[in-house]
Amino acid sequence: MSFEINGEMYSSQHQVKQIVRDILKKYEIDEFLKDNDRDFIASLLSWHPNKDQKIGCGIEKVGIRRDPDHLYQKQLFLQRIDGSITDFSWIKCITGHKETAQELFR
């Protein structure tokens, strides 16, 4: 499966995963992504199986925070134009995994 993300073609999931991991390593907890990193992740979000629910009224910022369920892991989140915040799985953006009802209502 190939991916078009932010106007570039990527030939494999592995390639996209490595780029996201590199982005996560560059930023500290509670830091917002900048420029090309922000644009890449925002474009990657268009591949999320629940993208409309996640994006809502539109993306203002994308950031990194500590995953509350796995404190040693970083988690991507977005701040919408209306100020609301939601997390999203970058893995689901790549694999296309649909959330179960249990995952939606946690």
Side-chain angles (χ1 to χ4, degrees), residues 74-88:
K74 292 180 177 179
Q75 174 186 75
L76 287 167
F77 74 95
L78 63 90
Q79 180 177 324
R80 297 183 189 104
I81 293 169
D82 66 1
S84 61
I85 293 175
T86 190
D87 63 347
F88 64 95

Side-chain angles (χ1 to χ4, degrees), residues 50 92 97-106:
N50 298 310
K92 288 180 186 175
H97 169 74
K98 280 280 196 189
E99 292 179 323
T100 64
Q102 183 179 10
E103 291 171 318
L104 287 170
F105 295 103
R106 59 183 167 156

Side-chain angles (χ1 to χ4, degrees), residues 36-83:
N36 291 337
D37 295 335
R38 177 197 59 231
D39 296 345
F40 182 89
I41 296 297
S43 183
L44 177 66
L45 188 56
S46 71
W47 289 87
H48 195 285
N50 298 310
K51 67 181 175 194
D52 294 335
Q53 176 189 6
K54 295 295 182 177
I55 294 170
C57 63
I59 300 170
E60 183 174 338
K61 299 177 183 179
V62 178
I64 295 177
R65 64 184 180 187
R66 195 166 305 282
D67 184 327
D69 296 325
H70 303 57
L71 296 178
Y72 60 92
Q73 292 182 350
K74 292 180 177 179
Q75 174 186 75
L76 287 167
F77 74 95
L78 63 90
Q79 180 177 324
R80 297 183 189 104
I81 293 169
D82 66 1

Side-chain angles (χ1 to χ4, degrees), residues 1-3 5 10-21 90-96:
M1 175 180 205
S2 62
F3 297 85
I5 302 168
Y10 299 91
S11 59
S12 70
Q13 288 184 0
H14 176 75
Q15 187 180 18
V16 176
K17 286 178 181 180
Q18 191 57 52
I19 292 168
V20 176
R21 285 184 182 112
W90 60 270
I91 296 288
K92 288 180 186 175
C93 294
I94 297 169
T95 64

